[in-house]
Amino acid sequence: MKNAEIPDDFFTHKNSWLAALDRLVALEPNDDDKSYWEHERNAMVRAYAELERTDG
């Protein structure tokens, strides 16, 4: 997939989206919900890594 096919917001908001997920993890008092947000953040990190790997 080429970057031109991906909306610019996906790249320009990467850091703020990851920071928001970090905040959800940090503030979540329920362990099950905290695990959910950790899982979602890790999935996003993997997705960005795959994009970087395939697009060079």
Side-chain angles (χ1 to χ4, degrees):
M1 179 177 291
K2 299 292 181 199
N3 285 348
E5 299 171 5
I6 301 169
D8 287 338
D9 282 350
F10 193 77
F11 298 101
T12 60
H13 289 74
K14 174 185 174 184
N15 291 336
S16 60
W17 289 343
L18 290 172
L21 288 168
D22 285 340
R23 186 147 174 85
L24 284 168
V25 170
L27 295 176
E28 181 56 59
N30 180 289
D31 287 341
D32 288 338
D33 290 340
K34 184 179 289 235
S35 293
Y36 170 79
W37 291 118
E38 288 171 337
H39 168 81
E40 293 302 308
R41 187 193 189 287
N42 291 336
M44 184 176 276
V45 168
R46 287 190 305 274
Y48 277 111
E50 183 65 17
L51 279 175
E52 292 167 4
R53 186 186 69 75
T54 59
D55 284 342

